[in-house]
Amino acid sequence: MRPTKVPTDFGGAPSRVPCTPSQPGVSGQAARGVPVQVFLLCGSSLVSVDRVVTVPEGTADARRRVIVAQGLLDQMAAPPSAGEKAAGYSTHVPRGLKVAGPRAGDPRDTLRLSTAPSGLDAYALAQIVCTLSDSAAAEGDGSVVLGGPADPRLRRYECTDALRSHPGTTEPPSTEVTAG
């Protein structure tokens, strides 16, 4: 057999996942609540998606922060919609993760997770830091103070472009926070 001189076309090389859902997720549903954004993984990056968190009317600010933070954790832990899954979205945030407000002596913007931040995998911590630091659960300065259930040490974490681009290999920048 002789090789053919006719060019063959098998299409382009497989491309990276588009990170664009083919059907609306929660944001396309009629839901009452506060519109929020959570970060999910798509490919090797964090990408924000729209969600809704329900907060009862008249909730005091301190309690509102914790309710919003819990809603965000629940949204991140939920499996992506069929359209998001088809587009390559995933999450590493474990189901059942809980959040509480500050304990006595903690700075007032502290959020305490039911699992210490150091006990989460790198992807989950990146998702949580980026989502919470850019939400009504934080103080609005692009950072979030997190601690575990029993550890007296707290850390202020920041979401950076490097963290959003490389969540599995970049540690969130953080500084120790001293309890007041």
Side-chain angles (χ1 to χ4, degrees):
M1 241 192 198
R2 292 186 2 216
T4 180
K5 292 184 182 183
V6 177
T8 56
D9 183 15
F10 293 104
S15 64
R16 299 191 77 177
V17 175
C19 296
T20 304
S22 59
Q23 66 188 44
V26 173
S27 63
Q29 300 172 359
R32 286 180 32 137
V34 179
V36 295
Q37 289 191 321
V38 298
F39 281 89
L40 298 179
L41 290 157
C42 192
S44 61
S45 300
L46 291 178
V47 179
S48 65
V49 295
D50 296 325
R51 294 288 190 264
V52 174
V53 171
T54 304
V55 179
E57 288 287 327
T59 304
D61 282 349
R63 183 74 190 125
R64 181 181 177 86
R65 287 182 57 252
V66 174
I67 291 170
V68 169
Q70 186 63 60
L72 292 167
L73 288 175
D74 293 345
Q75 291 291 334
M76 284 184 284
S81 70
E84 289 167 345
K85 203 173 269 185
Y89 287 88
S90 65
T91 185
H92 278 245
V93 175
R95 285 184 170 274
L97 188 62
K98 300 292 180 205
V99 65
R103 293 193 314 217
D106 287 351
R108 70 179 185 89
D109 60 339
T110 300
L111 293 171
R112 288 197 171 267
L113 302 175
S114 57
T115 297
S118 60
L120 297 167
D121 80 30
Y123 291 105
L125 183 58
Q127 282 182 261
I128 291 166
V129 166
C130 286
T131 297
L132 294 179
S133 67
D134 191 34
S135 74
E139 290 296 304
D141 65 354
S143 69
V144 63
V145 177
L146 297 175
D151 192 349
R153 292 172 296 175
L154 301 171
R155 298 197 72 78
R156 180 174 296 278
Y157 294 91
E158 291 180 54
C159 180
T160 61
D161 288 340
L163 183 60
R164 284 188 292 271
S165 299
H166 306 287
T169 56
T170 302
E171 236 181 85
S174 67
T175 54
E176 193 164 337
V177 175
T178 54

